[in-house]
Amino acid sequence: MTRPAAAAQVGGVTHPDSATPHSLNVVKDRHRVVVIGAGFGGLALARRLRDAPVDVVVIDANNFHTFQPLLYQVATAGLGADDIAYPVRGIFRRQRNVTFRMARVTSVDVDARTVHLNSGGPLHYDTLVIAAGAVSNSFGVTGVDEHAFPLKSVEDAVALRNHVLAKFETAAAAPNAVEPGALSVVVCGGGPTGVEMAGGLIELFEHVLAKDFKQLDVRHAQVILVEMGERLLGTFAPKSGLRALRTLTRRGVEVITGTGIQSIDAVAVRLTDGRRIDAHTVVWAAGVQASPLAAATGLPLTRGGRIIVGPDLSVPGHPEIYAIGDIAADGTTPLPQVAQPAIQGGRHVARQIERSLAGQPTETFTYHDKGSMATIGRHDAVAEFANGRRLSGPLGWLAWLGLHIVYLMGFRNRLNVLLNWAWNYVTYDRSARLLGADDVDADDRMSELP
Ligand SMILES: Cc1cc2nc3c(=O)[nH]c(=O)nc-3n(C[C@H](O)[C@H](O)[C@H](O)COP(=O)(O)OP(=O)(O)OC[C@H]3O[C@@H](n4cnc5c(N)ncnc54)[C@H](O)[C@@H]3O)c2cc1C
């Protein structure tokens, strides 16, 4: 029990923006819950409010939900972008109390209880749930913003894939004059994303592009994984990190640990130990920080920039505002920025909104850690469960496959992904590697391609 019921907020509210087309389905005197972000947290919350006496407005800058755990597969041509993204309107088609608004929230006026959008008038809320996630964090390293590829959105993944493919096309035009590092990729960050990316890239190079580009010497195409800590998968058990190191090394990835990134430019990466690695492609998987929206709300932030929430996930002093997932933290022991805290937080807040409406006090959020997983590549993954059980190798991989299919949004996507994986598994082929002239033009780092 953490705060008194907010029953006084319920009912009789006039919505200043009720003339917007998006409020046409909204019964005026119903409690309005505005949710910023259709990610894991926002979706879990809105779905859990299905039978609540509220109108829910979900706002997202994109009109689709992104399944971020499979972004690396899009970046390595294993899956298409639309296999891991799902239209938000489709998700809520049958849920009558949800409307969707595609817009970017630019600020929140907590006194007027309105959110401001990049298009259209302000939107009033009775309860606000901020679930805007995180963005890539360059940690101030020189050249990251200009030269490295982040992996946080579908656009990032597609841009990276196109860049890698375009590098090979360029090299094929003059196979005997391939510049040092032209085909190489440095992956910065040896956490799950970096490990998965490095494993996916080496498979793409060895099993697909080596055959596609017979005239090229694939030894030019190196994958180098750089981790500042002493081992890979630092949040996993040491055994899992060691397994990732051994598997990646055996498959041809060069792994460098205990060294940070000093700077990045268009053709090379400099390490803090003075080494220089020639590479025209750099993937930045070193970490994330809260969405810039956190600062734009004017609400108190942790030192890491996340919105401070109390035990029930509401913002202290603002019982009508909650923050969940990657953008929120309790100020003392921040939860990891992974999907489960966001999903569980979303469900918890939905319950608290219902309790408040029923005049009941809110409850403390308790996070149930279900474990962690990371795939290292073809039929190898590590999976660590909360009960201490650990799976690795093909069994870990099967557990990883099963879990990702279960959490993936939409039947069509699940089927597509399953078929793609089965096809890739049997043939080693990757179908999502089409590259058009426009894709190359869109990649301004590819100016040398005719
Ligand atoms: C490459 C990668 C791999 C990952 N792999 C795993 C994994 O294997 N397992 C795991 O548990 N976690 C994984 N994660 C982390 C996990 O995806 C996140 O922790 C999770 O998505 C957080 O959920 P969320 O609801 O807080 O935010 P998100 O899911 O990021 O959703 C935020 C939403 O808010 C929207 N948004 C942001 N700003 C605004 C704005 N101003 N206005 C309107 N909309 C806005 C965004 O468009 C987005 O749809 C991975 C993340 C990445 C990037």
Side-chain angles (χ1 to χ4, degrees), residues 17 20 22 32-39 41-43 45-46 56-65 88-89 92 98-108 114-125 127-133 293:
D17 56 327
T20 65
H22 302 278
R32 183 190 277 185
V33 179
V34 168
V35 185
I36 308 175
L43 288 190
L45 172 114
V56 183
V57 183
V58 176
I59 309 171
D60 201 290
N62 299 310
N63 77 345
F64 54 85
H65 164 78
V88 183
R89 289 181 193 281
F92 292 112
V98 173
T99 49
F100 174 67
R101 178 83 182 262
M102 181 178 168
R104 180 170 294 282
V105 175
T106 50
S107 64
V108 176
T114 50
V115 294
H116 292 263
L117 310 173
N118 65 342
S119 65
L123 198 64
H124 177 83
Y125 61 83
T127 298
L128 176 67
V129 184
I130 306 173
L293 183 65

Side-chain angles (χ1 to χ4, degrees), residues 11 17 19 30 55 73 76 82 102 111 118 202 241 280 300 304 322 388 416 436:
D17 56 327
R30 289 236 292 190
D55 288 311
Q73 294 235 345
T76 55
D82 57 354
M102 181 178 168
D111 297 324
N118 65 342
I202 201 78
H280 291 204
Y322 292 89
N416 261 354

Side-chain angles (χ1 to χ4, degrees), residues 37-43 60-75 80-88 91 100 131 133-134 151-158 326 339 342-343 404 407-410 413:
F40 283 110
L43 288 190
D60 201 290
N62 299 310
N63 77 345
F64 54 85
H65 164 78
T66 303
F67 191 77
Q68 294 174 25
L70 291 180
L71 279 174
Y72 86 94
Q73 294 235 345
V74 175
D82 57 354
D83 292 332
I84 67 153
Y86 198 88
V88 183
I91 295 168
F100 174 67
L151 192 62
K152 201 63 190 103
S153 66
V154 165
E155 291 91 335
D156 291 343
V158 171
D326 284 2
I343 294 170
H404 283 71
Y407 277 97
L408 196 62
M409 195 64 67
N413 284 12

Side-chain angles (χ1 to χ4, degrees), residues 167-176 178 183 209-210 212-220:
K167 282 288 170 195
F168 274 77
E169 295 293 352
T170 307
N176 297 322
V178 179
L183 301 180
L209 298 184
D212 281 3
F213 294 87
K214 290 181 280 298
Q215 70 276 47
L216 285 179
D217 182 350
V218 281
R219 280 172 305 177
H220 288 302

